[in-house]
Amino acid sequence: LARALAAAGADVVGLDASPRAAAAAAARAAAGPRFAVVAGAPEALLADGTLSEATFDVVCALEVLEHVADDGAFVAACARLARAGGDVFLSTLNRTPLAAAASITIAEGALGLLPRGTHDAAKFRTPGDVAALLGAAGCRVRDARALHFAPAPRGPGAAWLGGDARGAVNFVVHATREA
């Protein structure tokens, strides 16, 4: 997403908590001046002054929330990075049996697409959980939608939005940071 946004003309700062992953992303981003990569979690980068509050028009954290240690602190940091009136988009796995089956049993187990232990169903959140975290962080939720991934017929890695987020495997919530 970050590279696509930069290619479309946006100034992009990509974050990755893993220094190794951030270095790999930075190497791929080197071709474009509109794309910077910083290693670290948003909470730490705000605390040490690497990033400033109210800096970004849009903050996206896609498929990250289910991997962080403190989802409340993570969401609050994402919200703090957005300017007043800025948009925050969070996507994650839903806390449903279907999401656990798709991500853990099938993707990690049967198909081996991800290393075992990548996901912990106890960290999955519902759209209502994410909306509550965003509300506590000073954001107004605007929408929540199912996020569908389809290897076929739309092509590898294809994704689209639609439908009720409550029963989806993945979902995305859009919120606006209040003043």
Side-chain angles (χ1 to χ4, degrees):
L1 177 63
R3 287 193 307 178
L5 290 171
D11 292 319
V12 175
V13 176
L15 305 182
D16 200 302
S18 162
R20 183 175 170 199
R28 288 191 305 273
R34 304 185 74 103
F35 187 6
V37 179
V38 179
E43 308 92 313
L45 295 170
L46 280 164
D48 72 12
T50 301
L51 295 177
S52 300
E53 285 193 40
T55 300
F56 300 101
D57 294 326
V58 179
V59 174
C60 299
L62 307 179
E63 303 307 309
V64 177
L65 191 58
E66 68 271 19
H67 302 287
V68 300
D70 183 343
D71 55 3
F74 177 82
V75 171
C78 289
R80 288 174 49 208
L81 288 170
R83 66 167 174 75
D87 296 301
V88 179
F89 294 88
L90 301 175
S91 72
T92 191
L93 286 160
N94 206 345
R95 191 174 55 232
T96 63
L98 181 59
S103 63
I104 298 170
T105 306
I106 296 172
E108 292 181 25
L111 298 179
L113 298 173
L114 299 167
R116 287 189 184 273
T118 297
H119 295 103
D120 175 359
K123 290 188 168 197
F124 294 179
R125 298 291 174 253
T126 67
D129 295 336
V130 175
L133 291 168
L134 285 161
C139 294
R140 181 172 50 93
V141 173
R142 303 183 69 85
D143 199 7
R145 297 282 174 108
L147 179 61
H148 305 280
F149 294 96
R154 298 174 189 250
W160 74 98
L161 294 175
D164 187 347
R166 292 175 293 175
V169 171
N170 298 75
F171 64 90
V172 62
V173 177
H174 171 212
T176 303
R177 182 177 178 191
E178 305 272 90

